[in-house]
Every structure is written in structure tokens, then in C-alpha cells.
Amino acid sequence: MTPEPHSLTGPDDLTLGPPPGCPAHGLGPGGLHRLHEAEDLRALYAELREQHGPVAPVLLHDDVPMWVVLGHAENLHLVRTPSQYTRDSRIWTPLKDGMVKPDHPLMPHIAWQPICSHAEGDEHKRLRGAVTGAMSTIDHRGLRRQIGRYTQRLVNEFCEEGRADLVPQFAEHLPMAVMCEVLGMPDEYNERIVQAARDMLKGTETAIASNEYIMGCLSRLTARRRADAQDDFTSHLINHPARLTDDEIGQHLRVVLIAAYEATANLLANVLRRVLTEPGFRAQLSGGQMTVPEAVEQSLWDEPPFSTVFGYFAKQETELGGKRIRKGDGLLFGIAPGNVDPRVRPDPTANMQGNRSHLAFGGGPHECPGQDIGRAIADVGVDALLMRLPDVQLDCDEEELHYTESIASQHLVELPVRFTPRAPQDVMAKPSPGTAAVPQQRATWEIGIGRPKPAPAAEPVPVAAVPQPEPAAPAAPDARPPAGPARPKGAWQRFLRWWRGY
């Protein structure tokens, strides 16, 4: 990235960075902010918007220059204009000039790979067509049933304890279990593959070994399906007319598995946290003013699973958000800052029900092809969990919750809860709500909802005192005919059963 000649933050303005502890710490050459040193990225994005407008110059690790796109409209233009911007990092000027070393911390996000999200033109159509073609074969009603069953299985593991941590015991497991089923390797789902996926994304010292473990699972799956095709995503990807190679198959399976896993694990944790910590949010769910799918969409606006996406690169000299973008400049697709652009959300606390114009799933030719799977996992998983544990409550103060934050995402570390212990439930049965009394706090969830005055309570009748009925006598000729069969479920009840996959 080369700032305009008239810029007040040119690369020669500062020759030495400030020492740690200085008020200017986090600033690099030219007075530009280092994103990876920001203590509060949300506050930094607001500051950058105030200083620079919808597109701002920043620095990555090793003081590599980058633009971060903050405006909603500008982000949409970025992802929807393949004639000007590409995801092929091989044209990125800092990379070509040797500024970005092979061991750069963000290299796994930036390095070019032979996958559809980095391809263009006919090659993009070939690879993307194979992925979307395989996606189109997924039975979404069957998928929702599988999500419900895996939810039941996970809840069964802790329901008798009365306490759980919904991040490691639920949110991090449900997406992996479902995606292993979708890909056709349910036997590979276990604690090890969940931890390997988390380790890869954290970029730890063992991330390379974790990646090799997952690629080994996917390579074995590819070999099995080459020899014996089944009705699963991997088989349809292999047999697509695009004829992907084994390497292309493995790389795309990895992208589908890891992207869906990370995004959905974050989404599940975020939705559950809001249900547990915001009385008004839960009141709307309890009172019917908001459905679980609408709650998921609200979370995608306010806390998208990915904050930014690395990266897009200018194919020619152009202009974006009033800034001069040179050929070879890199740009961050700013999902989180774009979602709170004051031009589209003057009031960031406003309800966004029914509005799906958020940036959480990208847009343009590289829009996430598996977004419906992520939505289904969150919709069914949250709904089934709340049905099983209707009195679930946060088991700590909200201020005690903490996150791990990177430029790419914010991840809730833990979500401890308590509830009335319950017996395990048949995973093949429809989720049934618990019978425990709803805790006293529920009164605050029903803000603004009038309650009818209760009728005077009748004296309780001891069970032992209830008389046993005598054998029925033959009905008199003029007796009322017996009641007919039970009335069939109404259209709304049938729709709810279909929506939940039962």
C-alpha cells in the first residue's frame, strides 16, 4: 500500500516507533495503527472511521501496510467487483517485494492456494461449480434431523450434572459433529479432531501438526470415496463433472470443514451468550416476538463470526472510499466494522430483524456457499438446547466472561451455565422441555407482557384419595356419542415440526 503523496501519515513521518507503555504504543511508521497490537479493535475501527472515513491505512505484523475497509457500501464494492479486486495474493506488492516472510503469522490466511476462493475466471467457475454442485445435493430436512440428534447427544453428556460450559462442551463440538456427518466421515468425529481444528486456527506451535492430522483424515476419506461412492458431500464433489484432482478435493474439503466449523462455533457461542445475558433478547424469544433464526441473524449483524477476511488485492490502480488504491495494494474485507457503518445503522442498538444485508457471509463471486448449513446448525442447536434446558442460567457474572481476539475473529473462551439436572433423553426422540419450574428471573424476561390474574387455587386432592372409576355402564340410547379422534395438528404446529426437522 502506498499512501497518497498529500497524506499526513506517510511512511517517512516517523522513523522510530514509540516504546512500550507510551501513549502512542500501537503506532508504527507513518503514525499508522498496528491492528495486531490494538487492545480494542472495535474502538480502533471507530477511531479510524473518524480519522480516515470508510477506508483506512493500517499495519499488520512486521509493519506490513494494508488498507482496512470500514464502510458497508465500500465492502460490498470490494467483494462484488472482480474486475478490480482479486483474492490472489501473488500480485500483492509487499509479498512480491519480500516484506512478507514465509513465517509471517498471517501467511496461512494470505498464502495463495489452489482453491475456488483464490481462483478467478474459468478456473474459479470450475472449482466453485464443483463445490456448489456438491452442496446442492445436501438434504436439508435430513440435515436438521442430524443436528437435532447431535444436540441431544451432546446435552446428554452433561444434563445430569446441572452445570456445563457451553463453549467447549457444546458450541465447539456440534459444528464438527455435523460437518463430519455432511462430509461422510462420522467415525472421524472425536475430541481429537475438535482440538486439532481449534489448534490450527489459534496458530500455535503445534498448528502444523494439527493441520497434518486433519489433512490425513480428509485424504483417507477421499481414498475411501474414490473406491466406494456414497450419498455424501465428498462423493458428490469427487464425481462432479469438473473432475477435481485428489489434491483439489482435499484442499476444498479442508476449507469447507474448517471455515464452517470456526464460523458456526463462534456463532453458536455468541447467540447463547446473548440469550443468557440480555433479558430483553430472551424475552423476545420467550414471548414469540423473535424466532431463533431471527436471533441468529441479529447476532450475525452485531457479532459476526469473522471480524475481517484476508484479503483482497487491487488488480489495477483505482479509488475506494475516497482513497487512492494502487495496483498490488492489499485490503481487508471489514465485516465487523462494515456491519456497524453509521450510514446503514445510525443506531447500532436497533433491531435488525428480517434484514439479511449484513456482511457475515461475504458477497460477490466468493460469497460463502455453506451459509445455510451454518444457519441450520445455529437455529436447530440453540432451539433444541433451550427446549431441553429451559431454566439454563449463566453461572458467573457477565463481566467474568472473556474472549480471545485476533484481527480475524473474536472467540468466546467459556460460557459456564447451571440448570436443573435432568435424565438423558433418547437421541432419536423429539426434544422435550424439562419439567423444572422456571427460575424467578423469568419475570424480568416478560417485560411489557401483561399476565391474567390467576384464578383462586383449588384445594389439592391427594393422589391416594382419587376414587377409581367403576366399569362404565352401557350408554343410554340418548347418551352423547363418544368423542371423535384427536384433532390433527394445525398448520402452524406442522410447520414448526417441519422447521425443526422432525
Side-chain angles (χ1 to χ4, degrees):
M1 178 190 70
T2 307
E4 304 91 330
H6 62 272
S7 172
L8 298 179
T9 57
D12 298 325
D13 291 345
L14 292 178
T15 57
L16 295 175
C22 172
H25 186 59
L27 298 181
L32 301 183
H33 285 273
R34 295 184 175 112
L35 287 187
H36 57 287
E37 293 184 357
E39 295 183 358
D40 186 343
L41 279 171
R42 185 169 301 207
L44 176 58
Y45 289 144
E47 180 182 344
L48 290 172
R49 196 192 309 274
E50 184 70 23
Q51 292 177 353
H52 300 280
V55 178
V58 293
L59 297 172
L60 304 180
H61 303 74
D62 299 337
D63 288 338
V64 174
M66 200 82 170
W67 296 101
V68 59
V69 184
L70 307 169
H72 189 274
E74 288 74 16
N75 272 296
L76 287 178
H77 180 78
L78 175 72
V79 300
R80 291 177 176 176
T81 316
S83 61
Q84 294 179 343
Y85 304 100
T86 178
R87 295 209 62 198
D88 187 341
S89 63
R90 292 175 295 183
I91 71 167
W92 189 24
T93 298
L95 184 64
K96 293 169 64 177
D97 291 348
M99 290 185 64
V100 183
K101 307 299 182 184
D103 61 349
H104 192 278
L106 298 178
M107 186 57 75
H109 297 274
I110 296 171
W112 182 86
Q113 301 173 54
I115 54 178
C116 61
S117 56
H118 289 174
E120 288 191 284
D122 292 340
E123 184 67 359
H124 174 263
K125 291 179 181 179
R126 182 180 77 89
L127 298 174
R128 173 85 177 195
V131 172
T132 55
M135 287 282 182
S136 69
T137 66
I138 295 173
D139 174 12
H140 284 271
R141 290 193 64 190
L143 174 67
R144 299 181 79 87
R145 284 192 293 270
Q146 290 288 351
I147 298 167
R149 289 166 186 164
Y150 275 114
T151 298
Q152 296 286 64
R153 191 170 301 170
L154 290 170
V155 174
N156 281 348
E157 293 179 3
F158 55 75
C159 63
E160 294 178 289
E161 302 297 325
R163 293 178 183 272
D165 187 338
L166 294 183
V167 171
Q169 293 181 266
F170 185 74
E172 290 185 351
H173 271 266
L174 182 59
M176 183 60 74
V178 173
M179 290 310 301
C180 284
E181 186 79 38
V182 168
L183 266 56
M185 55 176 197
D187 292 342
E188 299 283 3
Y189 164 64
N190 53 33
E191 182 69 26
R192 185 176 180 186
I193 196 170
V194 170
Q195 295 308 317
R198 294 298 315 147
D199 189 52
M200 278 177 55
L201 295 164
K202 291 176 182 176
T204 65
E205 295 178 355
T206 56
I208 294 177
S210 295
N211 180 63
E212 290 176 352
Y213 171 75
I214 289 179
M215 288 306 300
C217 295
L218 298 176
S219 296
R220 293 191 295 272
L221 171 64
T222 301
R224 290 197 302 270
R225 291 298 178 259
R226 285 278 189 199
D228 182 21
Q230 302 291 324
D231 186 16
D232 54 41
F233 178 87
T234 301
S235 297
H236 290 294
L237 187 65
I238 290 172
N239 295 320
H240 190 272
R243 300 302 177 193
L244 273 61
T245 66
D246 281 359
D247 182 54
E248 290 172 333
I249 294 290
Q251 292 296 334
H252 282 87
L253 290 178
R254 176 182 176 276
V255 169
V256 169
L257 176 66
I258 299 303
Y261 168 73
E262 170 70 359
T264 311
N266 286 346
L267 178 59
L268 271 171
N270 290 340
V271 174
L272 288 169
R273 181 196 61 76
R274 295 196 69 171
V275 169
L276 294 168
T277 61
E278 300 182 23
F281 200 77
R282 192 162 184 171
Q284 289 182 300
L285 281 175
S286 303
Q289 295 95 339
M290 179 189 291
T291 63
V292 172
E294 287 172 336
V296 169
E297 294 302 319
Q298 183 71 38
S299 182
L300 289 169
W301 271 103
D302 298 336
E303 299 173 299
F306 292 113
S307 305
T308 61
V309 169
F310 296 83
Y312 283 77
F313 308 93
K315 300 168 69 174
Q316 61 191 33
E317 188 163 320
T318 184
E319 181 271 340
L320 184 66
K323 297 294 188 294
R324 182 184 179 186
I325 309 297
R326 297 184 184 275
K327 180 179 179 180
D329 280 1
L331 304 97
L332 296 180
F333 173 41
I335 298 172
N339 277 356
V340 293
D341 184 347
R343 295 174 298 176
V344 297
R345 292 186 73 183
D347 178 5
T349 64
N351 192 309
M352 302 299 286
Q353 288 186 31
N355 189 331
R356 284 192 171 189
S357 58
H358 53 73
L359 304 172
F361 295 115
H366 299 299
E367 183 175 7
C368 175
Q371 57 187 276
D372 288 340
I373 296 177
R375 283 188 170 104
I377 294 174
D379 294 348
V380 177
V382 171
D383 190 37
L385 176 74
L386 295 179
M387 288 182 68
R388 281 288 301 277
L389 308 174
D391 62 342
V392 63
Q393 301 176 57
L394 190 65
D395 199 22
C396 69
D397 292 334
E398 183 179 355
E399 294 73 20
E400 297 178 32
L401 298 176
H402 64 282
Y403 301 78
T404 57
E405 187 171 25
S406 67
I407 302 172
S409 66
Q410 185 183 65
H411 182 76
L412 184 62
V413 175
E414 58 188 2
L415 192 62
V417 296
R418 66 181 184 276
F419 47 86
T420 302
R422 292 179 175 85
Q425 185 168 310
D426 182 0
V427 299
M428 303 299 290
K430 175 182 176 182
S432 58
T435 57
V438 177
Q440 187 65 32
Q441 289 93 319
R442 190 172 178 87
T444 64
W445 305 344
E446 298 171 350
I447 299 170
I449 301 176
R451 295 187 180 186
K453 294 183 179 180
E459 289 293 326
V461 180
V463 175
V466 177
Q468 298 298 317
E470 295 291 333
D478 60 346
R480 180 177 296 178
R487 187 175 61 181
K489 293 182 180 293
W492 178 246
Q493 286 77 14
R494 293 197 301 273
F495 171 76
L496 287 177
R497 286 178 59 83
W498 173 84
W499 178 261
R500 292 169 176 160
Y502 303 112

